[in-house]
Amino acid sequence: MIESQQLTRRYTGVTAVEDVSFRIGHGEVVGLLGRNGAGKTTVMKMLAGALDPSAGEVVIDGHAMGRYRRTLQRRIGYLPENCPVYPEMTVADYLDYRAALQGVARRSRPAALRRALVRTDLTGRAAQTIATLSRGYRQRVGVAAAIIHEPAVVILDEPTNGLDPAQIRGMRTLIRTLAEDATVLVSTHILQEVRAVCGRVLLLRRGRLVLDAPLDSLDRPTGLDLTVDAGAETLRRALAGLEGLGGMTPLPAPEGLHRFAIDSETPDALAPDLARRLYEHAIGLHALEPRRRDLEAVFADAEDGA
């Protein structure tokens, strides 16, 4: 378990992160989401022990980072945003070096190296010099270095940066696999990546945490999307007095049809009653589906200060 306790980081005249608190349990895959400059990288550096907070504390399994830094850092795998590597080294030599830095015993390093190469699909590149690799493969080397010591906490800052679509799919699979044995925090500004791999979202806005919620709770229905062959006035008369019915907003619709956003706090209960009322009034029903406040809307609301 990793915990951020009122983390704050100030630079001269600038507060990059302010009073950020959250807890992440074992096996969770959590997305740290925010625009560029929102403070994601600063938070991750503090969680990894690479940057001291101006105030607050990082706690891992009950131990404070400030007091047990070296011990705790050996339990963390950290991929920085810019994926620093030594370009003159081969992939295998670099990973062996990183394993040594993380305290992996010499006799255990060959097995650790093989596991990391397989998990990141780098086996065929082990003898290749890092300088000759594409940006995507360098990113994989960075991930392999972050997990070579099989850490309990994995922190990945923009892990799909520079990867092609096939490599992105592979990275997503790897992240899910890592969560079987570790706590995983993934930083990104790409909404699609959060939706693909995360079960929970932390949203930063200007250095402050403005949202901490399970991903599925953000995607719950907020009303109904209705398409019929009757206009607004006819529809209002037909649905008058229907329990659970809120506002009704016209939307663009195919020619000859009418589409409406129906507000409701109980859309699941409203849907069958609404369909029955339409049938009773001989109104043709062409589509009826849940209307959802998706992750994009949540992101936009946070950016607008909602």
Side-chain angles (χ1 to χ4, degrees):
M1 186 271 290
I2 185 167
E3 185 175 0
S4 165
Q5 298 181 347
Q6 298 178 302
L7 282 185
T8 297
R9 177 66 192 192
R10 301 183 185 92
Y11 299 95
T12 304
V14 176
T15 299
V17 173
E18 186 170 4
D19 197 27
V20 170
S21 298
F22 55 82
R23 299 177 64 178
I24 304 175
H26 180 76
E28 282 194 88
V29 181
V30 176
L32 183 61
L33 186 64
R35 304 286 188 193
N36 289 329
K40 303 186 302 297
T41 294
T42 301
V43 168
M44 290 196 146
K45 286 181 177 179
M46 290 189 285
L47 294 177
L51 181 67
D52 288 329
S54 302
E57 195 167 48
V58 175
V59 177
I60 297 178
D61 288 339
H63 301 289
M65 177 66 72
R67 184 174 180 182
Y68 300 98
R69 185 184 307 272
R70 292 306 304 152
T71 299
L72 293 178
Q73 283 182 323
R74 290 190 175 184
R75 302 191 61 196
I76 297 171
Y78 175 44
L79 173 66
E81 182 179 13
N82 295 321
C83 188
V85 291
Y86 291 107
E88 70 277 8
M89 299 180 75
T90 66
V91 172
D93 286 345
Y94 175 69
L95 294 179
D96 182 74
Y97 167 68
R98 287 294 301 268
L101 291 180
Q102 291 292 354
V104 179
R106 184 180 295 275
R107 65 181 179 277
S108 302
R109 287 179 209 161
L113 178 60
R114 284 194 297 273
R115 283 194 300 270
L117 289 171
V118 169
R119 295 176 88 178
T120 53
D121 197 21
L122 283 169
T123 304
R125 310 276 178 168
Q128 194 167 334
T129 303
I130 293 175
T132 66
L133 297 177
S134 67
R135 181 177 180 181
Y137 274 107
R138 290 192 189 195
Q139 192 78 348
R140 292 194 196 195
V141 172
V143 174
I147 66 173
I148 194 159
H149 56 302
E150 299 191 351
V153 176
V154 179
I155 299 173
L156 305 175
D157 198 352
E158 304 282 359
T160 58
N161 187 26
L163 303 188
D164 63 34
Q167 292 171 334
I168 288 173
R169 289 192 295 271
M171 184 64 68
R172 291 173 180 172
T173 300
L174 172 59
I175 290 170
R176 296 187 193 102
T177 301
L178 292 175
E180 296 174 2
D181 303 305
T183 297
V184 182
L185 179 63
V186 181
S187 164
T188 182
H189 62 281
I190 302 173
L191 301 177
Q192 184 178 355
E193 293 307 308
V194 173
R195 186 178 289 106
V197 301
C198 300
R200 179 176 154 208
V201 174
L202 302 171
L203 180 57
L204 287 176
R205 178 178 180 267
R206 298 179 184 173
R208 287 183 170 271
L209 186 65
V210 296
L211 179 71
D212 180 352
L215 188 60
D216 56 8
S217 74
L218 303 178
D219 215 19
R220 62 178 180 269
T222 59
L224 298 170
D225 196 327
L226 172 68
T227 304
V228 293
D229 60 6
E233 289 305 317
T234 301
L235 185 62
R236 286 193 179 95
R237 289 194 296 269
L239 301 182
L242 192 61
E243 185 176 355
L245 181 69
M248 188 171 68
T249 305
L251 299 172
E255 186 176 354
L257 297 177
H258 302 269
R259 180 167 163 249
F260 302 91
I262 306 295
D263 296 330
S264 176
E265 295 182 358
T266 56
D268 292 341
L270 174 64
D273 294 338
L274 187 150
R276 189 178 303 111
R277 187 72 68 87
L278 294 176
Y279 174 77
E280 291 170 353
H281 287 76
I283 295 176
L285 174 60
H286 289 256
L288 180 62
E289 58 186 1
R291 188 168 186 83
R292 300 181 183 276
R293 182 173 182 261
D294 60 16
L295 193 56
E296 284 83 355
V298 172
F299 196 106
D301 287 348
E303 288 302 297
D304 292 338

